[in-house]
Amino acid sequence: MAASPVAARATPAWLREARRALLESGAVTGGPGHQGLMRSWQRSLDYGLASTGRVVDAPHASAAQLQRAQAAQHELMSHARPVMEFLFEQTRDSDSMVILADSQGMLLQALGDAHFVNRAERVALRPGAIWHEQWRGTNAIGTALAEQAAVVVHGGEHYLARNGFLTCTAAPIVDSSGRLLGVLDVSGDHRGYHPHTLGLVRSAARMIEHRLFDTRHAGGLRLRLHAQAEGIGTLTEMLLAVSPEGWIVGANAQALTQLGLRQADIGQIMVDRVLALDTDTLHGWCLRPSGAPRSIQLTDGHAVWARVEPGRQMPGRTPPSPKPTTVGHRDALAELESGDPLMQTAINRARCVLGKPIALLLQGETGVGKEVFARAVHASGPRRDAPWVAVNCAALPETLIEAELFGYRAGAFTGAHRDGAPGRIREAQGGTLFLDEIGDMPLAVQGRLLRVLQERQVTPLGGGKPVAVDFALIGASHRRLREEMQAGRFREDLYYRINGLSLQLPALRERQDLPALTESMLARIAPGRAITLAPELARAFAGHRWPGNLRQLQNALQTACALMADDETELGWAHLPDDLAEDLRADAPSKAVPDADADLRLQSNQLIARTVQACAGNLSDAARRLGISRNTLYRKLKTAAA
């Protein structure tokens, strides 16, 4: 099970004997070489799982819960998706699938061979399912989370006998602060096991971590280190993010391991504790940046090569002004102005509390852009250069939300990280804490949060000395919190504590700036292409209710642009997802789409023909590009030929 050579794999005979002993004695026993597997089986046994027979009903997220979890992990998913597609190309037609799971074991997205996906769904290996060891026993995703290491779980090594047809390889994904974000996994038929899959998955996880590192620390100084000059820029390089004062504020796993650092050291030690150079020398390099690697000494005497990438916050570069917005300067809130009176009122009122100790509460339907608005408030205020920490209260299991928010000491509970965790509230020190869907927070946690807001101190789970905290608070909920308070589901004292200024963000159907919003979204989705809506489609958009609000509009435009040919600039009916086109026709059949059916069929057939031609007749590839199943593509081709 552990990430070890193939020679160390548990043999079928050994597994049969171990499982027999487990069933007869109710205890896990094993020999040397399989300690990782035995630890996981013991945890599975302690969770009360039966390895054979009826399986405990594991939780599965509803469509709404999955959508919220995906929204909470938007940054991770956006960086993981291209890597997953690359990984899928390497494993295509091998009866397998590529899976991304969050830090709680919830499957967020998956790509796979159609035949194997059907088999995998029989054991709930699909988005929304929870594959934590507590519910599925020993499995690559859950065990990688528990061990915080890359693992292979092959065939009968799965604790639940029903999963024995699988071979699974998973690697954890960790951000630059050492926080576990999720797991990347390749699962397939056990007969297709290949030892090289472990290295492939590990490398893919590193690719995601590197993309996240570069995005998160784009504005600050970054050091790329390697024992060889040619290793700079590869997946084996060490990455350090350094603050203007010289503190190490980010590091990848290679840097932690090779430089002898711990996760707890991030944000706590200066760079001169690791590198044999002073901060002034580093600042001098920032003033005279060079793309060529430099040879430097570590404090232990070893030499490494380094490339310095200065950021906006380093000396010699003009830092962002901490002063309030002045006339003529377009800040992040100004970027949200698009001509709608309701939205303009919300923006103007938000400006009045920038930099003031007044909590902001954003309310509105799902998808109206509450997090986007909150980010703009943070980026427009005096705390813009301090941390932005977002927590989706609805996406976290009730049993883990306290640990996530308030942090915990080492050993505070079963499964706690051996070094403990500071918690998201402490991570927001000096910056902004955004509590999305705060109306879904359990009542017990509401009480603890109220205490933190009153005392401006947080005490981690497991006890310890309270830690003073300073942060701006922005809450958001699609629920009407006043009604939730009156129904007893939300504490009255907490409601008035977080409701310093309440802003109701308008639904898309209530806004008067739909054309401007559509134009700006298209410009971001397809920069440089000057894509416009066909007139009849623009009229249909204007008459639609948009129940998913801005998120639905954004997703629809992204899909439509993906279905357009490279030489097309007008977005028409044939480019829309089938369900949206159907809804639009139902909304306004007489005004929006006269004679649209024949035109839609013609454009759809033309689009399909071009896509099949571009794919050289590969119908599977064409179906994937069109966003439809192969069966649907076959049916449309048959209908077009009739």
Side-chain angles (χ1 to χ4, degrees):
M1 179 217 67
S4 55
V6 179
R9 295 247 68 81
T11 64
W14 187 92
L15 285 168
R16 284 195 299 270
E17 180 61 24
R19 196 173 293 278
R20 183 190 63 78
L22 175 66
L23 292 173
E24 291 181 355
S25 65
V28 176
T29 58
H34 304 301
Q35 292 90 343
L37 177 60
M38 292 298 97
R39 282 197 304 270
S40 181
W41 276 25
Q42 184 64 57
R43 288 192 298 266
S44 304
L45 184 64
D46 292 343
Y47 283 131
L49 297 176
S51 63
T52 59
R54 186 178 181 277
V55 179
V56 176
D57 291 334
H60 194 293
S62 65
Q65 290 171 329
L66 175 60
Q67 186 180 36
R68 287 196 293 267
Q70 291 171 332
Q73 296 291 346
H74 172 73
E75 183 181 34
L76 171 63
M77 291 179 63
S78 63
H79 287 293
R81 182 70 186 193
V83 178
M84 292 177 66
E85 291 176 350
F86 164 79
L87 192 55
F88 177 56
E89 288 299 323
Q90 313 309 307
T91 58
R92 185 189 293 275
D93 300 326
S94 62
D95 266 352
S96 63
M97 61 194 300
V98 181
I99 300 167
L100 178 69
D102 68 11
S103 59
Q104 309 307 318
M106 180 188 292
L107 276 54
L108 297 175
Q109 57 183 352
L111 299 171
D113 297 322
H115 173 69
F116 180 75
V117 169
N118 292 334
R119 294 183 62 197
E121 287 187 345
R122 299 174 192 168
V123 291
L125 198 61
R126 61 180 181 272
I130 310 294
W131 277 73
H132 190 282
E133 279 188 338
Q134 177 182 358
W135 304 105
R136 310 284 178 181
T138 304
N139 71 90
I141 293 171
T143 305
L145 290 172
E147 297 282 327
Q148 297 203 16
V151 299
V152 177
V153 179
H154 177 61
E157 293 175 352
H158 287 86
Y159 182 80
L160 300 183
R162 70 194 300 254
N163 295 331
F165 74 96
L166 295 169
T167 183
C168 307
T169 304
I173 301 170
V174 180
D175 70 7
S176 58
S177 66
R179 187 164 59 95
L180 182 63
L181 299 179
V183 168
L184 185 66
D185 169 85
V186 171
S187 293
D189 188 290
H190 74 287
R191 293 168 295 187
Y193 168 75
H194 198 290
H196 293 315
T197 306
L198 176 60
L200 194 61
V201 173
R202 272 175 162 168
S203 296
R206 284 185 181 179
M207 290 171 66
I208 297 171
E209 291 175 347
H210 277 220
R211 292 167 62 93
L212 288 165
F213 185 98
D214 287 341
T215 299
R216 185 160 297 182
H217 300 289
L221 181 143
R222 291 172 295 181
L223 287 171
R224 300 182 183 273
L225 310 170
H226 201 279
Q228 300 174 354
E230 296 79 9
I232 300 291
T234 70
L235 291 179
T236 58
E237 70 181 348
M238 297 172 275
L239 296 173
L240 290 179
V242 182
S243 75
E245 298 76 23
W247 295 96
I248 295 177
V249 293
N252 69 344
Q254 285 77 15
L256 293 176
T257 301
Q258 297 179 42
L259 299 177
L261 299 174
R262 302 169 303 152
Q263 291 178 356
D265 292 330
I266 297 176
Q268 302 298 317
I269 65 172
M270 302 286 283
V271 69
D272 58 12
R273 289 270 302 276
V274 177
L275 306 180
L277 54 81
D278 55 34
T279 306
D280 290 340
T281 300
L282 193 58
H283 290 172
W285 289 353
C286 293
L287 295 174
R288 299 179 299 277
S290 170
R294 306 169 184 263
S295 178
I296 64 173
Q297 293 284 325
L298 302 180
T299 52
D300 64 6
H302 287 86
V304 297
W305 291 90
R307 188 168 74 206
V308 182
E309 297 177 348
R312 297 186 300 272
Q313 301 174 14
M314 296 307 298
R317 295 173 178 259
T318 303
S321 171
K323 297 178 181 179
T325 303
T326 56
V327 176
H329 174 69
R330 286 189 62 80
D331 59 7
L333 278 171
E335 295 298 324
L336 299 181
E337 298 173 353
S338 54
D340 178 70
L342 294 176
M343 196 65 180
Q344 189 63 54
T345 298
I347 292 171
N348 292 342
R349 288 169 65 83
R351 286 196 187 282
C352 295
V353 298
L354 288 180
K356 298 177 181 177
I358 297 175
L360 191 61
L361 177 61
L362 306 179
Q363 300 194 89
E365 297 178 6
T366 298
V368 297
K370 294 187 288 293
E371 181 168 359
V372 172
F373 192 97
R375 280 183 178 273
V377 170
H378 169 74
S380 301
R383 297 177 183 259
R384 65 173 68 90
D385 296 324
W388 158 267
V389 176
V391 180
N392 188 318
C393 301
L396 291 171
E398 184 172 343
T399 54
L400 296 178
I401 189 171
E402 280 193 276
E404 182 78 5
L405 275 176
F406 307 110
Y408 55 87
R409 298 185 65 190
F413 54 88
T414 302
H417 191 277
R418 58 181 177 273
D419 295 328
R424 307 310 303 279
I425 290 177
R426 286 177 61 187
E427 289 176 5
Q429 174 65 24
T432 301
L433 177 67
F434 175 59
L435 297 179
D436 197 10
E437 300 301 350
I438 193 172
D440 292 78
M441 181 179 286
L443 281 169
V445 182
Q446 292 178 27
R448 288 206 62 183
L449 175 62
L450 177 64
R451 194 175 309 117
V452 170
L453 297 178
Q454 289 173 336
E455 301 174 1
R456 311 305 290 181
Q457 292 182 330
V458 61
T459 304
L461 296 182
K465 185 178 179 181
V467 179
V469 288
D470 168 40
F471 57 86
L473 178 68
I474 304 179
S477 179
H478 73 284
R479 302 179 185 276
R480 295 185 177 275
L481 291 189
R482 183 181 292 274
E483 296 176 3
E484 294 294 301
M485 177 185 68
Q486 294 170 348
R489 292 187 292 267
F490 199 85
R491 292 180 61 122
E492 181 176 4
D493 44 8
L494 179 61
Y495 174 76
Y496 290 112
R497 174 68 65 170
I498 66 173
N499 187 16
L501 172 64
S502 179
L503 297 177
Q504 182 75 29
L505 299 189
L508 183 55
R509 62 182 173 275
E510 300 170 344
R511 297 177 62 161
Q512 301 175 15
D513 56 349
L514 180 60
L517 285 172
T518 303
E519 181 180 349
S520 64
M521 285 184 182
L522 287 172
R524 289 195 301 271
I525 294 168
R529 290 187 63 183
I531 295 176
T532 60
L533 288 185
E536 66 274 14
L537 191 58
R539 290 194 295 271
F541 271 31
H544 189 49
R545 292 188 69 257
W546 296 107
N549 292 296
L550 292 173
R551 186 178 297 135
Q552 182 188 10
L553 176 62
Q554 173 86 11
N555 291 340
L557 293 176
Q558 283 181 326
T559 302
C561 289
L563 296 179
M564 295 179 72
D566 292 340
D567 59 346
E568 290 182 304
T569 59
E570 185 175 80
L571 196 156
W573 286 91
H575 305 119
L576 296 181
D578 290 348
D579 56 346
L580 177 59
E582 182 179 346
D583 289 344
L584 291 173
R585 289 196 297 270
D587 279 348
S590 59
K591 294 192 296 183
V593 288
D595 303 320
D597 288 342
D599 177 60
L600 177 59
R601 282 194 297 271
L602 176 61
Q603 294 186 52
S604 178
N605 291 340
Q606 292 173 342
L607 175 63
I608 289 172
R610 286 196 302 269
T611 305
V612 172
Q613 183 179 8
C615 296
N618 186 326
L619 298 186
S620 296
D621 192 20
R624 183 169 59 84
R625 292 194 189 186
L626 291 166
I628 60 178
S629 68
R630 282 189 299 179
N631 288 339
T632 301
L633 178 58
Y634 293 145
R635 176 170 52 80
K636 289 181 177 289
L637 288 172
K638 184 177 180 180
T639 302

